[in-house]
């Protein structure tokens, strides 16, 4: 199914997870889960309980009752309940479910009327492609009023005005998402501010300002780490100093800047120093055991020259002299193997 229908389903799912849901809404969600598990009696009981609430979600209850009747095979009752839901709850899914039941009942002209109503009410959030690919309406293919409706809708969707409407709707949804995110950030900022009061609000705010600058610099992709944080803290320091001067602080916010920079770069410098020390020790260890280092090279050359000298003598010697040279050569070989650490596993 098309993304628009998926968006509606996703929104409904997200709404069911909202922590401030009323007890009646939670009962409707539980009834939906029971219906999807084919536990129809339990679903009906849960809907009865939801109706007893002081402020029941009437539209959702009618909608769920209609789906429950549809899934249990009572299509006429489903059509009646879904018709009631349409007048109480403004949702694309209800129109599509209602039209789908009418198709099953063979009431195709009524189904087309409901689909037209859905197109008119939902505007750019319901596209012809979403309906045309919905398996519930496959039977309507070839039915003249249905085909005409989709054709009209497709022509309308191709118009510049409709495309502008779709774009504006997307911007509106993005704005709504941004507002939700900003609300969450505001909640986090409130908690962070309370924490900052106990550890030093100015330092906390200064560090947070530096991280915000660093994030902005990272988004521009002008420089990479670690220069993003360096430039971010530099800009934060300049901004803080100017603001402090403007506020009449003779120190220009120097202590806050110094502590904030130490908080950000202190751990970083410790890590760099630790890495430097470990690297230095590794290089020192290599130098201490390197047979070709400046300190060990004379001894290495001497051992190799001794092996070369004995090897040449052994190649031309005969008899007992050759055996004696072979013994000396074995001793020199041990020295070479130790020098180059050839016996290490």
């Amino acid at each position: 199914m098309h993304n628009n229908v998926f968006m509606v389903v996703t929104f409904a799912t997200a709404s069911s997870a909202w922590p401030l849901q009323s007890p009646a809404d939670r009962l409707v969600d539980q009834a939906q889960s029971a219906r999807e598990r084919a536990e129809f009696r339990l679903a009906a009981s849960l809907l009865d309980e939801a109706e007893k609430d002081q402020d029941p979600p009437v539209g959702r209850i009618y909608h769920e009752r209609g789906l429950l009747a549809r899934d249990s095979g009572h299509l006429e009752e489903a059509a009646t309940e879904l018709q009631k839901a349409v007048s109480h709850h403004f949702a694309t899914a209800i129109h599509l479910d209602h039209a789908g039941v009418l198709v099953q009942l063979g009431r195709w002209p009524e189904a087309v009327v409901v689909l037209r109503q859905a197109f008119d009410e939902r505007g750019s959030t319901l596209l012809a492609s979403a309906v045309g690919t919905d398996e519930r309406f496959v039977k309507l293919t070839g039915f003249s009023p249905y085909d005409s409706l989709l054709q009209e809708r497709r022509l309308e969707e191709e118009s510049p005005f409709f495309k502008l409407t779709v774009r504006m709707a997307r911007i509106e949804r993005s704005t709504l998402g941004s507002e939700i995110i900003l609300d969450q950030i505001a909640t986090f900022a409130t908690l962070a501010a309370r924490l900052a009061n106990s550890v030093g609000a100015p330092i906390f705010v200064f560090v947070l300002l530096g991280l915000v600058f660093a994030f902005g610099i990272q988004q521009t992709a002008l420089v990479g780490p670690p220069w993003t944080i360096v430039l971010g803290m530099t800009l934060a320091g300049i901004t803080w100093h100017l603001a402090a001067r403007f506020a009449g602080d003779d120190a220009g916010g120097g202590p806050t800047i110094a502590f904030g920079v130490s908080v950000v770069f202190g751990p970083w410098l410790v890590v760099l120093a630790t890495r430097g020390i470990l690297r230095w020790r590794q290089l020192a260890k290599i130098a201490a055991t390197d047979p070709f280092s400046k300190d060990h090279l004379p001894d290495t050359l001497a051992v190799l020259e001794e092996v070369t000298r004995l090897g040449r003598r052994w190649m031309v010697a005969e008899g007992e002299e050759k055996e004696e040279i072979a013994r000396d050569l074995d001793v020199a070989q041990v020295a070479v193997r130790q020098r180059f650490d050839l016996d290490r596993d």
Side-chain angles (χ1 to χ4, degrees), residues 1 103 130-139:
M1 192 175 292
V103 171
V131 176
T133 57
D134 195 322
E135 59 183 8
R136 292 173 292 184
F137 308 121
V138 173
K139 292 181 180 179

Side-chain angles (χ1 to χ4, degrees), residues 110-131:
E110 294 181 52
V112 174
V113 171
V114 172
L115 289 175
R116 183 179 293 277
Q117 182 183 4
F119 281 129
D120 293 340
E121 292 184 359
R122 300 312 299 174
S124 61
T125 60
L126 180 62
L127 301 179
S129 57
V131 176

Side-chain angles (χ1 to χ4, degrees), residues 212-235:
V212 170
F213 276 127
F215 177 76
I217 294 171
Q218 182 182 9
Q219 298 307 303
T220 62
L222 295 176
V223 295
W227 296 109
T228 51
I229 188 66
V230 172
L231 292 178
M233 295 305 298
T234 301
L235 291 176

Side-chain angles (χ1 to χ4, degrees), residues 39 45 54 64 113-114 125 138 167 206 229 277 293 307 311 322:
E39 299 176 1
S45 299
Q54 294 181 352
E64 191 56 39
V113 171
V114 172
T125 60
V138 173
R167 182 172 299 178
F206 172 73
I229 188 66
I277 293 173
S293 65
V307 172
K322 188 169 186 174

Side-chain angles (χ1 to χ4, degrees), residues 38 42 53 72 126 143 163 205 273 275 305 309 336 343:
L42 174 59
D53 191 83
S72 58
L126 180 62
F143 184 53
K163 293 178 180 179
V205 174
R275 289 180 59 185
E305 289 174 357
R309 185 182 65 81
V336 170
D343 294 328

Side-chain angles (χ1 to χ4, degrees), residues 23-231:
D25 279 316
R26 286 195 290 270
L27 287 172
V28 175
D29 291 336
Q30 294 171 8
Q32 178 183 350
S33 299
R35 173 181 58 81
E36 292 172 350
R37 298 192 303 268
E39 299 176 1
F40 299 143
R41 290 186 178 179
L42 174 59
S45 299
L46 291 169
L47 292 175
D48 291 338
E49 290 295 322
E51 280 187 332
K52 297 177 182 178
D53 191 83
Q54 294 181 352
D55 187 20
V58 179
R60 292 195 63 203
I61 293 175
Y62 279 139
H63 186 195
E64 191 56 39
R65 284 195 184 281
L67 296 180
L68 180 60
R70 180 199 65 185
D71 293 351
S72 58
H74 302 91
L75 297 181
E76 290 290 350
E77 179 184 352
T80 301
E81 296 293 332
L82 290 172
Q83 177 61 48
K84 295 178 182 178
V86 167
S87 60
H88 285 85
H89 197 50
F90 193 62
T92 304
I94 299 178
H95 289 87
L96 298 180
D97 290 332
H98 186 203
V101 170
L102 293 175
V103 171
Q104 288 182 271
L105 288 171
R107 294 155 59 177
W108 292 5
E110 294 181 52
V112 174
V113 171
V114 172
L115 289 175
R116 183 179 293 277
Q117 182 183 4
F119 281 129
D120 293 340
E121 292 184 359
R122 300 312 299 174
S124 61
T125 60
L126 180 62
L127 301 179
S129 57
V131 176
T133 57
D134 195 322
E135 59 183 8
R136 292 173 292 184
F137 308 121
V138 173
K139 292 181 180 179
L140 294 179
T141 302
F143 184 53
S144 179
Y146 173 74
D147 293 340
S148 299
L149 174 62
L150 292 187
Q151 183 63 24
E152 292 174 9
R153 184 63 176 184
R154 292 190 182 99
L155 292 175
E156 183 181 350
E157 292 173 5
E158 293 176 357
S159 67
F161 177 77
F162 186 88
K163 293 178 180 179
L164 178 61
T165 304
V166 172
R167 182 172 299 178
M168 295 300 295
R170 290 175 180 171
I171 294 175
E172 183 179 358
R173 289 195 295 271
S174 300
T175 303
L176 177 60
S178 300
E179 291 177 357
I180 295 174
I181 293 173
L182 289 176
D183 288 340
Q184 295 175 347
I185 292 175
T187 303
F188 170 77
T190 302
L191 297 176
R194 293 177 181 175
L195 176 64
N197 288 332
S198 62
V199 298
I203 297 175
F204 179 83
V205 174
F206 172 73
V207 172
L208 185 61
L209 179 63
L211 295 179
V212 170
F213 276 127
F215 177 76
I217 294 171
Q218 182 182 9
Q219 298 307 303
T220 62
L222 295 176
V223 295
W227 296 109
T228 51
I229 188 66
V230 172
L231 292 178

